[in-house]
Amino acid sequence: MDRIVTIERHIIDQQREHPEATGAFSDLLYDVALAAKIIARETTRAGLVEILGLAGKVNVQGERQMKLDVFANEAMIRVNSFTGRLAVMASEEDTGIIPIPEPYETGKYVLVFDPLDGSSNIDVNVSVGTIFGIYRRLSSIDQAGTLADCLQSGHNLVAAGYVIYGSSTVLVYTTGRGVHGFTLDPTMGEFLLSHPNIQSPTQARYYSVNQAYEPYWSEGVKAYTRWLQGIGDESDSPALSGRYIGSLVADFHRNLLSGGIFYYPANTNRPEGKLRLVYEAIPLAFIVEQAGGYASDGHRNILDIEPKDLHQRTPFFIGDRGLVKRAEAFISKYDEQK
Ligand code: AHM
Ligand code: MG
């Protein structure tokens, strides 16, 4: 008989494999799942309540900030500030680190997140998502958490995940022991295990890129894309089909389940790319490696990068290991050896 496994049960089962665990980490994961439920409740009602439209603020990236971004950010912060489990947080929506307010105790973990990615898609009913990463703090336990706590390499992650608010709400996470997906039953308010042990498919189907930027790409990225399409000079093209939603979590999730590559390369208008290293690229890179895939900035493993700035951007290639490695090879051949 198939078991019904809630996310709470799953997190506790994983904790049992670590006899030394205090439970703080399990509780933290459960807190993130709770924040996801609060955000899901609002995103699914987005067309019903008067929550759409601009909040009248511009976020730290200089972009228009939607009200639901603000809501999602506050949900994550309010759920996680007062638990004694975190030293510090960082979010796409806040310029600096988010300290734990006095007089609440700090804990040993660090949470970085993008509370609602792809928010420009909300008012056209396109899926959006939350991305998060959890580290152990580097600073000592009796101090406030620091910026350095949030700027760790992805190899230090102890957990990462994302939530997609789509036709259903799905939470995918890993603690370094496989990648597991849970679907929210909205009538019960429970995340139920629906995708145990997700593995990157051996057969890739899709490439996902905003092809409108092609005139601004490097020769390597252009040649690579032709190869993916099956119209390049190189043999062994996979001749993939294209899919691009323009919502990172949705594009990533589809390719994780169906096979393929997502990339947002550098272009002449965005020499650093668009996506953010700390709370977008690194957590997804950790997840994809756990599933047998790979993520790169076009030159090196995303997990090898030591972040310098909370909001730094990076070119990003993620998905099927062979396809991402091939992107590195094209870039090396066409762009680096001139
Ligand atoms: P946002 O942080 O303003 O929501 O932008 C991030 C989004 C990603 O979800 C998506 O992959 C990308 O921007 C799409 O950008 P573009 O419209 O340039 O293709
Ligand atoms: Mg974002």
Side-chain angles (χ1 to χ4, degrees):
M1 198 190 305
D2 285 344
R3 291 193 310 156
I4 295 176
V5 181
T6 64
I7 196 164
E8 187 176 16
R9 173 90 264 140
H10 195 267
I11 290 169
I12 290 169
D13 284 350
Q14 295 233 323
Q15 185 194 319
R16 289 221 173 90
E17 294 178 28
H18 297 268
E20 75 290 356
T22 61
F25 176 63
S26 297
D27 290 341
L28 170 54
L29 277 176
Y30 197 64
D31 291 341
V32 173
L34 171 64
K37 283 193 259 186
I38 296 172
I39 297 167
R41 190 190 60 193
E42 290 305 306
T43 53
T44 50
R45 297 193 315 165
L48 297 173
V49 290
E50 287 189 352
I51 199 164
L52 282 178
L54 298 174
K57 290 187 200 160
V58 169
N59 74 5
V60 291
Q61 325 292 346
E63 294 159 349
R64 299 188 315 164
Q65 194 175 27
M66 313 291 288
K67 272 185 180 166
L68 270 175
D69 294 28
V70 179
F71 178 87
N73 197 40
E74 286 181 359
M76 286 290 272
I77 294 170
R78 285 171 60 199
V79 166
N80 288 293
S81 286
F82 313 108
T83 60
R85 299 191 249 280
L86 289 179
V88 62
M89 290 178 267
S91 161
E92 174 170 338
E93 300 296 339
D94 287 84
T95 317
I97 56 173
I98 304 165
I100 300 305
E102 298 276 355
Y104 295 95
E105 281 184 18
T106 61
K108 57 183 174 184
Y109 294 104
V110 176
L111 179 64
V112 297
F113 56 91
D114 182 350
L116 206 60
D117 185 66
S119 52
S120 61
N121 289 316
I122 290 169
D123 44 6
V124 288
N125 273 58
V126 170
S127 302
V128 288
T130 299
I131 307 169
F132 65 92
I134 298 172
Y135 295 96
R136 277 192 197 84
R137 72 185 301 171
L138 301 173
S139 54
S140 71
I141 193 85
D142 48 4
Q143 293 174 350
T146 63
L147 178 61
D149 287 330
C150 300
L151 297 180
Q152 300 189 48
S153 115
H155 291 297
N156 291 354
L157 278 168
V158 289
Y162 63 86
V163 188
I164 176 167
Y165 311 100
S167 47
S168 52
T169 298
V170 174
L171 187 154
V172 174
Y173 87 100
T174 180
T175 57
R177 289 165 175 254
V179 180
H180 310 285
F182 300 79
T183 302
L184 180 64
D185 182 327
T187 59
M188 294 193 296
E190 288 280 6
F191 278 109
L192 302 178
L193 183 63
S194 50
H195 299 76
N197 238 324
I198 299 171
Q199 289 291 316
S200 183
T202 44
Q203 186 67 43
R205 290 168 66 187
Y206 302 123
Y207 76 100
S208 309
V209 69
N210 189 336
Q211 208 131 6
Y213 304 133
E214 182 169 352
Y216 312 104
W217 290 341
S218 68
E219 284 311 311
V221 173
K222 286 180 187 168
Y224 175 62
T225 306
R226 285 195 295 274
W227 175 77
L228 290 174
Q229 293 171 296
I231 56 175
D233 304 330
E234 314 252 349
S235 59
D236 73 350
S237 158
L240 300 177
S241 185
R243 289 281 189 284
Y244 190 73
I245 297 168
S247 196
L248 174 61
V249 172
D251 279 308
F252 175 75
H253 183 68
R254 182 204 48 243
N255 290 358
L256 182 65
L257 297 185
S258 300
I261 178 169
F262 168 91
Y263 51 115
Y264 203 115
N267 66 53
T268 48
N269 295 325
R270 289 185 180 274
E272 307 298 327
K274 177 180 184 187
L275 300 173
R276 284 66 163 200
L277 180 63
V278 171
Y279 39 76
E280 293 180 333
I282 287 178
L284 295 184
F286 187 70
I287 295 165
V288 88
E289 274 212 1
Q290 277 297 310
Y294 177 58
S296 168
D297 69 353
H299 307 275
R300 61 195 161 149
N301 188 338
I302 288 285
L303 299 177
D304 288 340
I305 303 175
E306 301 279 346
K308 299 276 177 288
D309 181 273
L310 224 41
H311 300 291
Q312 89 190 61
R313 298 173 192 268
T314 179
F316 194 36
F317 299 76
I318 187 164
D320 178 273
R321 174 168 284 274
L323 292 182
V324 177
K325 286 281 179 196
R326 200 62 184 259
E328 288 179 339
F330 269 91
I331 287 168
S332 166
K333 177 176 170 188
Y334 286 84
D335 301 340
E336 288 171 5
Q337 286 161 20
K338 282 183 183 159

